[in-house]
Amino acid sequence: MRPKTERTVEALLKEKKIFEIVNPRLVQATPEISLASAMALMKEKKSGYIVVAENKKAVGIFTETDVVLKILGRDVDEKRSIVEFMTADPPTLSLQDSVGRAIDVMGERRFYHIPLVDEKGDLVNVISVRTLIRFLAEFYPTEIYNLPPKPGQIMLTQEGG
């Protein structure tokens, strides 16, 4: 039986604010950027997204999912604007929103990246599912990582394979 902790993970997710866990990394471009330039930027920055911004406002998001579903395997002119392939008007969150809210929005909308805005609605950052996973992993003891996938499982070889 696990010892009771003073605060549950659920309570902490409601209390912890996004600004407390987010990394200062934002990859953005204007709507005029071409597909070729956008994909080169993603590759250069090692990013799975570009927030498309105009006048400091997030007007869209272009992700690796957009590349896979809308571009790969099709005869698409890479000179075309990213606007034709991005997801327009993505959901946004504020740095003051809770981590739990970010998890909820990502789950409901099936987004891996959500633009973050300030009180004026200006784009300031992005929160990624990777950041959330790293944050959540802190709650699990190392013993969990070392358990076999099935309780009671006995590995027949030293490597477990």
Side-chain angles (χ1 to χ4, degrees), residues 11-31:
L12 191 59
L13 290 177
K14 290 178 182 175
E15 294 169 16
K16 195 74 146 176
K17 303 298 180 199
I18 291 172
F19 77 87
E20 297 177 274
I21 70 163
V22 76
N23 300 320
R25 182 171 188 259
L26 172 62
V27 180
Q28 65 178 313
T30 63

Side-chain angles (χ1 to χ4, degrees), residues 27-29 33 35 38-43 46-52 60-72 82-88 90-91 106 109-115 126-129:
V27 180
Q28 65 178 313
I33 192 170
L35 281 176
M39 290 187 288
L41 178 62
M42 290 169 75
K43 183 176 180 179
K46 295 181 172 116
S47 174
Y49 74 93
I50 295 176
V51 177
V52 183
I61 191 162
F62 180 73
T63 68
E64 54 198 4
T65 302
D66 294 318
V67 173
V68 170
L69 296 178
K70 301 173 185 176
I71 298 168
L72 283 182
I82 195 175
V83 171
E84 298 177 54
F85 302 93
M86 72 180 189
T87 300
M106 284 184 181
R109 300 291 301 272
R110 303 187 61 78
F111 274 66
Y112 296 133
H113 303 88
I114 298 181
V126 69
I127 187 160
S128 71
V129 72

